[in-house]
Amino acid sequence: MQEFQPVILGSDINAYGMARAFHEAYGLVSTAFAHQQLSPTKYSRIIDVHLVPDFANPKVFVPALNDWADAYHRDHPGATLLLLPCGDTYANLLDEFGDPLRERFVFNAIDAKLNRALSLKSSFYELCDRYDLPHPQTVSVDADDVKAGRHRKLPFDYPVAMKPADSDEWLGIDFPGRKKAFIFSNPEELDTMIRRSYQAGYTSKMVIQDFVPGGDDNMRVLNAYVDRHHRVRMMFLGHPLLEDPTPEAVGNYAAIMPDYNQDIFDRIKAFLEDINYSGVANFDMKYDPRDGVYKLFEINLRQGRSSYVVTLNGFNLARYFVDDLVLDTPFNGRTVFGRGHRLWMEIPKDIFRTYCAESEDKRQAMAMIRRGDWGTTLEYNKDRSLLRRLMIRHMFAIYRRRYRRYFRDKGELA
């Protein structure tokens, strides 16, 4: 096989999940670059993290990677360097500034204009309308609209959801009560938080939506791999049963069981191929019991933090990157629609037992746990050490405190 080295952008749980996929498939230790060290990749033997100050700055990002690649190629001439973004910031940097990296790396990227249309939630919903992809009823407003009070004139009732159209910019905004996304029961709550957002320096649009009723178990998450020739090679649908309740992490999945829905697969496949997408696409959606329709929330232009559920169920994501970008293996045109039988969790079992709502899905998930058909991203038997075990135990203790403090059942909202 052609010699290659995975180079991962990020140090979070998504980065560790991809490093684990490469280690499981090929026995390789991945190289990673990030601007800060995060807990999931600490004390690991399967990922070597290089910290670069101001790494999200394009004037730092490109030279740092190219300089490292030149040094690597002096010791490994002819090796292919496979570059994978594991965060919105890095995916955006590759799409907009990645061309100077192509002499030394192989990677998926899309046109910067398409990136903007997909990554901004306000324009993503416009694309959904064009392709007849259902989404919640939505109003987008900017700072001028808020000053004029237009955010109060909504064509749907409360409760409503609110989230920033530009999630990358939102990462740099801070103010009292800030969350990744909000659910408001009345106009006063909405008015307070949307004004705080713009006063804190947020400049992009804010998305206000009709709240789709139901709890975490009404969510679905889809991961698709689209090759460099814009052909969907694999799709896998997950059924989240529980989410992280922490304000800054709300909406992050904590437990996912496999699911299958051919209608969803067919709609999303047609969309991705028609817009000439490439790389991993990660979609969040929710089942609306009012009309029986799955409604899209967003697309992430990279694998999600919970995407190890795909590898856990037998569809190793690393192999799709390698087959496409390193080996350029022939593709027969038949998309793999994944089926699985293993439960993925980011949390310890006791949290799942305590906070997941009682349902037939939970009973099936508990049966998976009893059979041993489950796993986490972080607990890898080929990456064990005392420090790493202690770090994971500490992370799980933090999760327990978060659930005790913040958990509320969204299914109770009208």
Side-chain angles (χ1 to χ4, degrees):
M1 178 185 285
Q2 165 71 35
E3 182 184 357
F4 72 94
Q5 174 63 26
V7 182
I8 293 170
L9 302 177
S11 64
D12 62 357
I13 191 170
N14 184 354
Y16 187 83
M18 285 309 308
R20 179 172 174 179
F22 279 106
H23 194 266
E24 289 180 3
Y26 305 103
L28 293 174
V29 174
S30 297
T31 301
F33 286 84
H35 72 282
Q36 63 177 327
Q37 176 68 68
L38 298 177
S39 295
T41 50
K42 271 186 177 179
Y43 313 123
S44 173
R45 298 170 181 158
I46 67 168
I47 186 167
D48 179 22
V49 180
H50 297 245
L51 299 181
V52 181
D54 201 24
F55 188 53
N57 182 339
K59 294 179 180 179
V60 175
F61 179 77
V62 172
L65 289 172
N66 276 337
D67 289 348
W68 177 86
D70 288 340
Y72 187 88
H73 277 141
R74 285 194 288 271
D75 295 330
H76 304 271
T80 299
L81 297 178
L82 175 56
L83 193 59
L84 291 85
C86 286
D88 294 330
T89 298
Y90 300 128
N92 294 341
L93 284 167
L94 277 186
D95 288 346
E96 189 168 358
F97 303 103
D99 282 349
L101 297 170
R102 289 197 178 277
E103 289 186 9
R104 298 169 178 84
F105 296 89
V106 295
F107 55 90
N108 286 306
I110 59 175
D111 176 79
K113 184 177 179 181
L114 178 60
N115 171 299
R116 200 68 178 160
L118 293 171
S119 59
L120 287 181
K121 294 179 179 64
S122 48
S123 53
F124 172 62
Y125 295 130
E126 293 172 5
L127 273 176
C128 288
D129 289 336
R130 193 184 312 169
Y131 284 88
D132 195 27
L133 295 172
H135 63 84
Q137 193 173 357
T138 300
V139 171
S140 297
V141 297
D142 59 20
D144 289 338
D145 293 323
V146 172
K147 287 179 183 176
R150 297 188 186 98
H151 62 291
R152 300 192 190 97
K153 302 170 184 176
L154 301 176
F156 39 81
D157 295 328
Y158 285 81
V160 301
M162 186 187 84
K163 51 195 171 185
D166 190 334
S167 56
D168 199 8
E169 182 190 354
W170 190 249
L171 294 173
I173 305 299
D174 192 25
F175 58 88
R178 177 193 176 278
K179 296 182 181 181
K180 184 180 175 184
F182 300 85
I183 301 172
F184 298 126
S185 300
N186 58 67
E188 291 74 27
E189 293 176 350
L190 169 63
D191 190 70
T192 297
M193 286 302 169
I194 200 168
R195 290 185 183 279
R196 283 185 188 176
S197 301
Y198 286 108
Q199 289 167 359
Y202 182 67
T203 63
S204 299
K205 288 186 176 182
M206 195 69 77
V207 170
I208 306 170
Q209 289 184 325
D210 175 34
F211 175 73
V212 177
D216 295 345
D217 57 349
N218 276 18
M219 296 295 298
R220 298 295 186 275
V221 57
L222 184 147
N223 285 278
Y225 186 87
V226 191
D227 69 21
R228 66 172 92 179
H229 307 293
H230 315 298
R231 303 169 303 192
V232 177
R233 293 202 179 199
M234 182 275 299
M235 306 184 85
F236 188 92
L237 185 66
H239 179 182
L241 300 180
L242 193 63
E243 295 182 2
D244 191 326
T246 317
E248 62 270 19
V250 65
N252 290 345
Y253 301 126
I256 301 174
M257 64 190 299
D259 200 357
Y260 191 96
N261 188 306
Q262 194 64 51
D263 179 63
I264 292 175
F265 288 146
D266 292 342
R267 284 171 174 261
I268 299 297
K269 177 183 175 181
F271 170 68
L272 290 170
E273 292 183 342
D274 194 69
I275 64 173
N276 287 333
Y277 192 84
S278 65
V280 175
N282 173 257
F283 292 85
D284 294 315
M285 65 194 79
K286 188 174 184 181
Y287 176 76
D288 191 337
R290 297 170 298 185
D291 55 15
V293 174
Y294 288 94
K295 299 189 175 167
L296 287 177
F297 283 175
E298 65 180 341
I299 177 176
N300 296 303
L301 311 183
R302 38 77 185 172
Q303 58 277 9
R305 58 182 284 114
S306 61
S307 294
Y308 185 73
V309 65
V310 182
T311 298
L312 180 67
N313 277 281
F315 305 92
N316 188 301
L317 278 175
R319 292 193 180 276
Y320 289 94
F321 283 100
V322 173
D323 287 349
D324 175 26
L325 298 174
V326 178
L327 304 178
D328 196 17
T329 56
F331 176 54
N332 60 16
R334 293 195 290 270
T335 301
V336 173
F337 301 113
R339 294 181 185 270
H341 64 278
R342 305 191 73 189
L343 175 72
W344 171 87
M345 291 194 293
E346 189 180 334
I347 52 175
K349 290 179 288 186
D350 59 291
I351 290 181
F352 180 77
R353 283 194 299 264
T354 302
Y355 293 97
C356 182
E358 293 300 327
S359 67
E360 179 57 31
D361 293 323
K362 180 180 181 179
R363 286 187 282 276
Q364 290 181 24
M366 293 304 300
M368 291 178 183
I369 292 172
R370 288 192 294 273
R371 292 195 303 266
D373 288 336
W374 68 284
T376 70
T377 305
L378 297 177
E379 296 174 299
Y380 182 31
N381 59 9
K382 294 185 179 179
D383 190 23
R384 296 168 65 90
S385 67
L386 176 59
L387 285 175
R388 186 155 180 85
R389 287 199 299 272
L390 290 173
M391 184 272 297
I392 293 172
R393 184 183 300 175
H394 177 65
M395 289 179 67
F396 283 176
I398 291 173
Y399 276 127
R400 291 185 180 97
R401 290 198 296 271
R402 286 177 175 178
Y403 275 86
R404 284 196 298 267
R405 180 176 179 182
Y406 294 112
F407 182 80
R408 63 168 173 163
D409 185 355
K410 291 191 286 290
E412 296 175 357
L413 292 172

